[in-house]
């Protein structure tokens, strides 16, 4: 399984970015997808997750109301739309997928290479 994240870049405070993740390879028939991030000197943290059907979503408190996760199963992609970005959102963002489709899950089995988001003030 390969997860290819893209869309990172440099943005000013209050700006927006849209991250995308394309999945390929021997994927499970149904699976949860998520985004994590890691800032310099910090542990990787959960950002958002979306169920197989797209009906269920979960967000970290720090991004609720600003970020929106979505997926397109036909295209095997997920997106993270980020609004009102703040310097604390600066991090490498990782796309992840779980072998399980049972919601919710804390187990992610596949990881992408990450895409850097930098929010400047």
């Amino acid at each position: 399984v390969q997860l290819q994240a893209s869309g990172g870049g440099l943005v000013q405070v209050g700006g927006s970015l849209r991250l995308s993740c394309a999945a390929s390879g021997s994927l499970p028939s149904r699976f949860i997808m998520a985004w994590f991030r890691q800032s310099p000197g910090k542990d990787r943290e959960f950002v958002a997750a979306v169920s197989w059907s797209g009906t269920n979503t979960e967000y970290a408190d720090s991004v609720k109301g600003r970020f929106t996760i979505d997926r397109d199963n036909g295209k095997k992609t997920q997106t993270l739309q980020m609004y009102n970005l703040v310097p604390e959102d600066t991090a490498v963002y990782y796309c992840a997928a779980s072998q399980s489709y049972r919601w919710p899950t804390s187990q992610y089995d596949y990881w992408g290479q990450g895409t850097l988001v930098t929010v400047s003030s």
Side-chain angles (χ1 to χ4, degrees), residues 74-85:
K75 296 181 180 178
K76 298 181 181 179
T77 59
Q78 70 160 341
T79 59
L80 185 69
Q81 179 67 56
M82 305 184 292
Y83 297 102
N84 195 21
L85 287 161

Side-chain angles (χ1 to χ4, degrees), residues 18-108:
R18 183 179 178 88
L19 305 184
S20 297
C21 175
S24 61
S26 300
L27 296 162
S29 58
R30 293 181 288 176
F31 53 97
I32 294 169
M33 297 192 79
W35 290 93
F36 287 75
R37 68 186 182 185
Q38 187 168 20
S39 304
K42 295 185 178 180
D43 293 334
R44 185 168 58 193
E45 64 174 358
F46 169 81
V47 176
V50 59
S51 63
W52 167 252
S53 66
T55 302
N56 297 308
T57 57
E58 182 182 5
Y59 296 92
D61 288 343
S62 59
V63 307
K64 281 181 181 177
R66 300 189 298 120
F67 290 11
T68 301
I69 189 170
D70 199 2
R71 67 188 294 168
D72 184 331
N73 290 332
K75 296 181 180 178
K76 298 181 181 179
T77 59
Q78 70 160 341
T79 59
L80 185 69
Q81 179 67 56
M82 305 184 292
Y83 297 102
N84 195 21
L85 287 161
V86 297
E88 291 74 25
D89 294 320
T90 296
V92 176
Y93 284 72
Y94 296 92
C95 173
S98 174
Q99 287 185 331
S100 173
Y101 67 91
R102 298 187 183 279
W103 182 265
T105 186
S106 60
Q107 179 65 40
Y108 290 91

